[in-house]
């Protein structure tokens, strides 16, 4: 409340108003006076008073009207009615209508001062209470807001943790799966090699210890030679598996290096087709090609991608059939498509197959050996060239793998390695 409480005094007798004003001013109040109901209502509209002291019976109206106007304007303003003995009844009515107190005229100075003083004190307490309530309400709202934002953050963090946990669990599962798969893949050639070497050893030992004829020796040597060839082929398979593992580790540690040069993809595709044809009699591998420009790429790594795709085309079409490598120019660069007529890939796996360690849960796919690394490595190599790789397929009818390579990888210059580290080699 302001330092100097504002008081309105209303009475139609000028002398009463002046007297009361003088008394209250001495007590430090800021006093405004009115001598009619109309004047009083105007004053009330213009200013918010702390206390209104009003005669009940005014010439141009009722004091209760003034009281109502005050309540409408500011419900916290304290009102005191002035009344004569004759109208005590209306004073009680005024109290019912919300007046704080009443004074009977003519009232004593002391009584006037103490009643007004109490009224002002009441007004002060009321204002203080209202301010407290407002503060409390604000604090309450703030707490509620904090609470809900806290809850939201807890919910978000919980969801995030849950997701991380699920990811970790999935990774853990894939890792154990991979370990058992990789051990199995490595074990197979080793078991074969060990078996053939044992048989060969026994043969040679018998030759050394016994006294075989020259014909028997030649016969024995021929079969040992066959076994050694098988063993040699198995070491090749083992080396390829280890190479794949090394590739993944290089990719993941960022140590894979590229040496860029001019590459004729049509020619490269033909080379790969010719070489891969030597590994299968059930498939017929052919190349179709349009006129293409040379691109700038790492030849060895792109060859590795084509090898992967053709190896998969053979692996995943156990019944054999044609395999076509198509090479042609596209607005984006040069496109290579490798199609087979094999077991195909379900729609929902078309993206997943490029993931690390991914192997299809499908029985038919499981029958082929593999660690689920080839397509992951291929995708990394193609991505590093700024290209794209994807697959389309009709299950049980066959698949086509597409690779599009830009004419020049970002950051590479024709004939020069893109990375300074590769230049030193
Ligand atoms: P791997 O062949 O060692 O399993 P890849 O990364 O080369 O690993 O392939 C991942 C998976 O994609 C395979 O397990 C197989 O399910 C599927 N896949 C790849 N190529 C073909 C294809 N030509 N036809 C059908 N499925 C394929």
């Amino acid at each position: 409340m302001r330092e100097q409480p504002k008081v309105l005094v209303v009475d139609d007798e000028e002398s009463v108003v002046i007297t009361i004003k003088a008394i209250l001013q001495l007590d430090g109040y800021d006093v405004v006076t009115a001598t009619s109901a109309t004047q009083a209502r105007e004053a009330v509209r213009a200013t918010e008073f702390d206390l209104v002291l009003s005669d009940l019976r005014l010439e141009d109206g009722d004091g209760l009207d003034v009281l109502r106007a005050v309540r409408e304007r500011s419900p916290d303003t304290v009102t005191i009615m002035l009344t004569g003995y004759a109208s005590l009844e209306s004073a009680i009515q005024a109290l019912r209508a919300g007046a704080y107190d009443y004074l009977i005229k003519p009232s004593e100075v002391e009584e006037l001062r103490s009643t007004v003083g109490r009224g002002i004190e009441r007004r002060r307490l009321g204002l203080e209470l209202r301010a407290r309530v407002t503060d409390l309400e604000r604090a309450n709202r703030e707490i509620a807001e904090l609470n809900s934002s806290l809850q939201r953050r807890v919910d978000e963090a919980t969801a995030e943790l849950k997701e991380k946990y699920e990811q970790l669990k999935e990774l853990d599962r894939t890792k154990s799966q991979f370990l058992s798969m990789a051990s199995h893949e490595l074990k197979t050639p080793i078991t074969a090699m060990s078996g053939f070497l044992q048989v060969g050893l026994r043969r040679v030992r018998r030759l050394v210890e016994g006294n075989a004829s020259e014909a028997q020796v030649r016969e024995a040597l021929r079969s040992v030679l066959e076994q050694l060839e098988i063993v040699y082929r198995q070491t090749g398979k083992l080396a390829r598996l280890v190479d794949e593992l090394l590739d993944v580790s290089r990719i993941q540690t960022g140590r894979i290096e590229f040496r860029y040069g001019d590459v004729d993809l049509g020619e490269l595709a033909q080379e790969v087709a010719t070489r891969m044809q030597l590994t299968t009699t059930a498939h017929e591998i052919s190349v179709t090609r349009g006129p293409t420009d040379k691109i700038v790429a790492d030849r060895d790594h792109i060859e590795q991608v084509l090898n992967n795709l053709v190896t998969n085309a053979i692996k995943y079409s156990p019944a054999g059939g044609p395999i076509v490598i198509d090479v042609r120019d596209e607005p984006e660069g040069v496109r290579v498509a490798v199609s087979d007529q094999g077991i195909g890939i379900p729609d929902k796996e078309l993206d997943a197959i490029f993931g690390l360690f991914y192997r299809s849960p499908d029985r038919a796919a499981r029958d082929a050996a593999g660690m689920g690394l080839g397509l992951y490595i291929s995708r990394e190599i193609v991505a590093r060239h700024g290209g794209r790789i994807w697959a389309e397929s009709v299950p049980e009818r066959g698949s086509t793998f597409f690779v599009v390579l830009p004419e020049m990888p970002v950051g590479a210059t024709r004939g020069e390695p893109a990375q300074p580290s590769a230049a030193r080699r």
Side-chain angles (χ1 to χ4, degrees):
M1 194 161 71
R2 22 195 173 216
E3 306 273 295
Q4 209 183 5
K6 263 188 180 310
V7 176
L8 173 67
V9 180
V10 189
D11 198 308
D12 37 16
E13 268 179 65
E14 185 98 43
S15 59
V16 173
V17 165
I18 288 170
T19 317
I20 294 181
K21 179 175 181 175
I23 294 168
L24 293 182
Q25 265 175 341
L26 277 180
D27 277 351
Y29 300 115
D30 173 6
V31 184
V32 175
T33 58
T35 47
S36 69
T38 316
Q39 247 183 37
R41 275 197 298 268
E42 260 163 35
V44 163
R45 259 197 299 279
T47 318
E48 180 181 344
F49 290 96
D50 294 305
L51 187 138
V52 175
L53 199 62
S54 175
D55 191 0
L56 256 182
R57 211 164 288 163
L58 297 162
E59 249 165 43
D60 63 338
D62 194 337
L64 283 178
D65 284 344
V66 176
L67 186 109
R68 259 192 294 278
V70 171
R71 293 199 75 81
E72 261 167 42
R73 164 76 161 83
S74 52
D76 285 334
T77 297
V78 169
T79 44
I80 297 172
M81 305 322 277
L82 294 167
T83 179
Y85 272 116
S87 49
L88 206 56
E89 197 53 38
S90 13
I92 288 163
Q93 212 180 321
L95 286 183
R96 283 209 192 95
Y100 169 67
D101 208 344
Y102 65 90
L103 284 166
I104 294 171
K105 289 198 289 188
S107 58
E108 279 182 28
V109 173
E110 281 319 307
E111 199 188 0
L112 171 71
R113 289 180 59 210
S114 75
T115 306
V116 168
R118 268 189 282 117
I120 289 294
E121 180 60 11
R122 153 73 190 253
R123 156 85 170 162
R124 200 180 57 75
L125 288 177
L127 283 180
E128 221 172 80
L129 195 66
R130 181 168 292 262
R132 283 278 154 74
V133 169
T134 312
D135 281 354
L136 276 179
E137 275 169 0
R138 192 184 324 111
N140 232 350
R141 262 198 311 279
E142 272 169 21
I143 287 173
E145 267 163 32
L146 277 178
N147 221 354
S148 79
S149 100
L150 200 65
Q151 186 62 46
R152 209 168 35 245
R153 267 153 65 186
V154 167
D155 286 349
E156 274 167 19
T158 311
E160 212 170 282
L161 272 181
K162 236 187 227 156
E163 202 185 307
K164 289 249 167 65
Y165 174 70
E166 289 303 327
Q167 280 171 357
L168 278 180
K169 231 168 58 180
E170 173 66 19
L171 196 69
D172 201 50
R173 211 173 47 80
T174 331
K175 251 189 185 156
S176 349
Q177 252 178 17
F178 168 74
L179 275 182
S180 81
M181 200 159 57
S183 334
H184 176 76
E185 290 298 317
L186 294 172
K187 184 90 186 166
T188 311
I190 289 174
T191 310
M193 279 156 60
S194 159
F196 283 113
L197 284 176
Q198 272 173 41
V199 176
L201 275 174
R202 208 176 316 135
R203 281 243 163 84
V204 174
R205 200 171 290 129
R206 237 186 272 146
L207 277 188
V208 173
E209 284 165 2
N211 38 14
S213 69
E214 199 176 313
Q216 281 170 322
V217 171
R218 189 161 305 127
E219 173 56 28
L221 279 180
R222 189 173 303 123
S223 69
V224 168
L225 184 67
E226 264 171 32
Q227 278 144 9
L228 284 180
E229 268 167 4
I230 295 173
V231 170
Y232 179 65
R233 275 204 296 279
Q234 294 294 329
T235 58
K237 201 169 165 192
L238 207 54
R240 275 195 298 281
L241 287 176
V242 173
D243 276 345
E244 276 197 345
L245 287 173
L246 281 176
D247 274 337
V248 169
S249 125
R250 275 193 211 110
I251 287 170
Q252 299 215 320
T253 53
R255 280 185 294 115
I256 191 164
E257 282 173 354
F258 288 84
R259 294 158 146 272
Y260 292 104
D262 286 344
V263 179
D264 182 333
L265 278 179
E267 220 170 73
L268 184 61
Q270 188 60 61
E271 249 177 61
V272 170
T274 309
R275 186 157 22 78
M276 295 302 287
Q277 185 65 74
L278 298 176
T279 67
T280 172
T281 48
H283 305 82
E284 194 185 308
I285 307 175
S286 60
V287 177
T288 54
R289 50 192 284 200
T292 49
D293 288 330
K294 284 190 173 171
I295 62 161
V296 174
D298 179 314
R299 192 179 199 282
D300 290 349
H301 278 111
I302 296 302
E303 183 173 348
Q304 190 182 351
V305 172
L306 297 188
N307 270 335
N308 269 338
L309 295 183
V310 179
T311 306
N312 280 348
I314 295 172
K315 250 185 6 187
Y316 298 107
S317 50
I323 291 171
V324 181
I325 313 177
D326 181 72
V327 185
R328 58 193 61 251
D329 261 344
E330 287 235 319
E332 268 181 81
V334 180
R335 191 197 77 175
V336 183
V338 179
S339 5
D340 62 57
Q341 296 184 0
I343 60 170
I345 303 158
D347 254 12
K348 61 177 183 336
E349 289 181 50
L350 282 175
D351 283 329
I353 53 173
F354 294 95
L356 185 56
F357 306 144
Y358 185 86
R359 299 216 69 213
S360 171
D362 197 82
R363 253 318 310 268
R366 287 266 146 180
D367 283 346
M371 294 192 285
L373 301 179
L375 289 180
Y376 169 79
I377 295 168
S378 301
R379 190 192 58 183
E380 287 294 321
I381 292 172
V382 172
R384 289 283 296 266
H385 279 78
R388 289 196 297 135
I389 184 169
W390 73 99
E392 288 171 9
S393 176
V394 180
E396 286 168 49
R397 296 286 293 279
S399 316
T400 303
F401 281 78
F402 297 91
V403 173
V404 175
L405 293 167
E407 266 180 49
M408 173 104 58
V410 181
T413 38
R414 205 175 284 268
E416 266 177 45
Q419 294 168 351
S421 55
R424 269 185 260 118
R425 296 208 282 147

